[in-house]
Amino acid sequence: QVQLEESGGGLVQAGGSLRLSCATSGRTFNRYAMGWFRQAPGKEREFVAGISGSGGNTGYADSVKGRFAISGDAAKNMMYLQMNTLKPADTAVYYCAAATGRPPYTVRHYSRTLDYDYWGQGTQVTVSS
C-alpha cells in the first residue's frame, strides 16, 4: 500500500512561484514512475509532469514546459514540483501519483491517468491575475 500526501499549494500572483511536495510512504520515488496531474473546476484531470522509476527521465505537458520542473529526493521519500512564472490558467487542484503497477526502475515516464494506481488527496493552487 502506497500513501501519497501533497503539500505546498496556496494563493500566488501571476508570475510568482510555488513548490509542491509529495511525501511518499516507503521506497516509491526512484523505484516507480511518478507524476503530477491537475484538475481545474469543470475539467478533466490532466497530466502535468512525470518522472521515470530510474529518476533519470522526465516529461512535461506542453502548457508547462520551461516553467515547471519535477524532481525528488529518494532518501527523504519526497517528490517535488517547482512551478515558476505561474499563470491564472495554472489554477487547479494538483495531485501526485505513483505507477506501482508498471515495472519499476525503468526509464519510462507516463502521462496517462490510467497508468497510475495510487493518488494523493490533492493540494489547491490558485493564481490570481
Side-chain angles (χ1 to χ4, degrees), residues 27-28 30-33 52-54 99-107 110:
R27 190 181 166 202
T28 304
N30 257 14
R31 180 178 185 185
Y32 297 107
S52 63
S54 67
T100 69
R102 299 296 181 187
Y105 306 116
T106 67
V107 298
Y110 302 97

Side-chain angles (χ1 to χ4, degrees), residues 70-113:
I70 188 172
S71 65
D73 187 332
K76 296 181 180 179
N77 294 323
M78 296 291 293
M79 182 176 68
Y80 306 104
L81 184 68
Q82 178 66 43
M83 306 186 295
N84 299 325
T85 319
L86 282 161
K87 306 174 181 179
D90 295 318
T91 295
V93 177
Y94 284 71
Y95 300 90
C96 67
T100 69
R102 299 296 181 187
Y105 306 116
T106 67
V107 298
R108 286 195 62 184
H109 57 82
Y110 302 97
S111 61
R112 303 179 305 173
T113 56

